[in-house]
């Protein structure tokens, strides 16, 4: 396929950084690449190019999707563990960026502080892709929105209820809703609301699409009439010390059969995974007929290919 060149050289750090049309282009490219891959049509769009992947946190889906995706695009991906590269021994982000930009065509980074991604992008002249920070998880939400389009036909006017912690995934869902006209309600216990700055920026962006973005405490109120019910772990990577306390506070926020009975009959269930089965989601819902969590996981591959093909 011929890939649109308009995003070439851009960083992919937050969905907020892209226009409504650019987000639509990323989604269309992902769906097209998926179609071609299923049809056995090769698309070596990044032949000869190399992506470096820095993971400061664990990953199954993101790592495999970027590595396999790069292979399918004709390029090569390098896994750079902090245990092995000098960044883990204190070499600065600046020096790492200034070296890697001379050898690589793009860098994907998963780390704790969002500022580290911004710093890497500041110093490196090659595209930087955010593979999850404590603040945002934008590549996840591209795959999620592809999954919603596949199941619901479009994003505009869809109501997505995110039930649980106002975390990185919730933040990127707010950004994604704002850019596509999808209504997003976050239901979370007091004290675990999404970041006020992210919410108000997304609400500002939403003026262009008419998306409604809001936060409630009551999970039943959130899922009432929802087309998509989304959940994620209550304690994200890096919050292990808070896990026990959160388990108590989030008991009412489990996505189970009872909660699902308040959503639309044909609502789909999404989870970015990995899941803590029996905590934020029951086996019955996760393995039930409304769940599309595994097709959702597969869509990370197609989403990441679109992001790389467009920016690298
Ligand atoms: N959803 C997601 O990012 O999964 P991994 O942590 O396995 O990459
Ligand atoms: N919110 C989770 C998402 C994992 C993909 C975390 O940050 O651990």
């Amino acid at each position: 396929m011929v890939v649109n060149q308009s995003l070439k050289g851009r960083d992919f750090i937050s969905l907020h950084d892209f226009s409504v049309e650019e987000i639509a282009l990323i989604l269309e490219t992902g769906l097209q690449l998926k179609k071609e891959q299923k049809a056995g049509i090769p698309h070596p769009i990044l032949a000869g190019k190399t992506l470096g992947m820095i993971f400061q946190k664990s990953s199954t889906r993101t790592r495999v999707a970027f590595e396999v995706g790069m292979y399918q695009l004709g390029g090569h991906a390098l896994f750079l563990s902090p245990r092995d590269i000098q960044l883990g021994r204190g070499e600065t982000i600046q020096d790492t960026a200034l070296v890697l930009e001379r050898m690589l065509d793009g860098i994907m980074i998963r780390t704790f502080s969002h500022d580290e991604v911004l710093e890497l992008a500041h110093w490196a002249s090659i595209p930087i892709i955010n593979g999850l920070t404590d603040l945002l998880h934008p590549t996840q939400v591209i795959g999620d929105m592809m999954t919603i389009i596949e199941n619901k036909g479009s994003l505009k006017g869809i109501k997505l209820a995110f039930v649980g912690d106002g975390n990185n995934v919730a933040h990127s869902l707010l950004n994604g809703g704002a850019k596509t006209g999808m209504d997003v309600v976050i239901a979370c216990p007091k004290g675990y609301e999404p970041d006020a700055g992210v919410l108000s920026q997304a609400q500002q962006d939403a003026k262009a699409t008419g998306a409604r973005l809001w936060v409630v405490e009551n999970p039943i109120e959130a899922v009432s009439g929802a087309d998509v019910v989304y959940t994620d772990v209550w304690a994200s990577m890096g919050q292990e010390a808070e896990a026990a306390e959160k388990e108590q506070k989030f008991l009412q926020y489990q996505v189970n059969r009872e909660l699902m009975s308040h959503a639309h009959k044909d609502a789909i269930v999404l989870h970015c995974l990995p899941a803590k089965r029996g905590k934020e989601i029951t086996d019955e819902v996760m393995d039930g007929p409304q769940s599309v969590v595994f097709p959702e996981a597969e869509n990370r591959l197609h989403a990441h290919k679109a992001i790389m093909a467009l920016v690298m």
Side-chain angles (χ1 to χ4, degrees), residues 55-254:
F55 280 95
Q56 308 272 29
K57 291 175 173 171
S58 304
S59 171
T60 298
R61 282 141 288 266
T62 307
R63 177 184 173 178
V64 175
F66 271 110
E67 201 162 327
V68 171
M70 199 52 185
Y71 173 75
Q72 291 182 2
L73 290 170
H76 181 67
L78 281 177
F79 177 67
L80 304 171
S81 154
R83 274 192 297 281
D84 304 325
I85 61 171
Q86 300 287 8
L87 189 64
R89 292 184 57 249
E91 187 168 18
T92 63
I93 290 183
Q94 176 180 350
D95 293 346
T96 303
L98 296 176
V99 171
L100 292 182
E101 69 173 14
R102 291 168 176 264
M103 302 187 193
L104 298 169
D105 302 287
I107 300 172
M108 187 246 81
I109 178 166
R110 165 171 288 196
T111 190
F112 293 87
S113 160
H114 193 71
D115 286 344
E116 284 183 21
V117 178
L118 298 175
E119 194 186 346
L120 188 64
H122 171 79
W123 291 108
S125 56
I126 54 176
I128 301 301
I129 300 171
N130 176 3
L132 179 148
T133 63
D134 290 347
L135 189 70
L136 298 174
H137 196 4
T139 69
Q140 173 71 48
V141 170
I142 294 295
D144 298 340
M145 293 196 296
M146 286 170 56
T147 311
I148 297 167
I149 294 171
E150 288 174 330
N151 284 277
K152 296 283 160 202
S154 75
L155 294 160
K156 205 166 175 61
I158 289 290
K159 178 184 178 187
L160 181 147
F162 178 94
V163 181
D165 188 29
N167 63 15
N168 44 11
V169 172
H171 291 157
S172 286
L173 285 168
L174 288 167
N175 287 330
K179 296 288 178 177
T180 59
M182 175 172 67
D183 296 339
V184 178
V185 55
I186 312 284
C188 51
K190 268 210 177 62
Y192 297 94
E193 295 88 358
D195 178 84
V198 171
L199 178 64
S200 73
Q201 188 187 59
Q203 284 170 331
Q204 196 62 33
D205 287 348
K207 289 183 182 158
T209 60
R212 288 175 303 161
L213 310 173
W214 73 110
V215 179
V216 298
E217 200 180 335
N218 184 341
I220 296 175
E221 181 187 335
V223 304
S224 290
D227 306 291
V228 182
V229 178
Y230 198 124
T231 191
D232 183 14
V233 289
W234 293 332
S236 287
M237 290 181 275
Q239 301 180 338
E240 288 74 13
E242 295 166 51
E245 183 195 344
K246 281 184 132 178
E247 267 185 32
Q248 294 310 313
K249 292 190 169 154
F250 282 75
L251 281 176
Q252 302 307 312
Y253 294 82
Q254 184 185 66

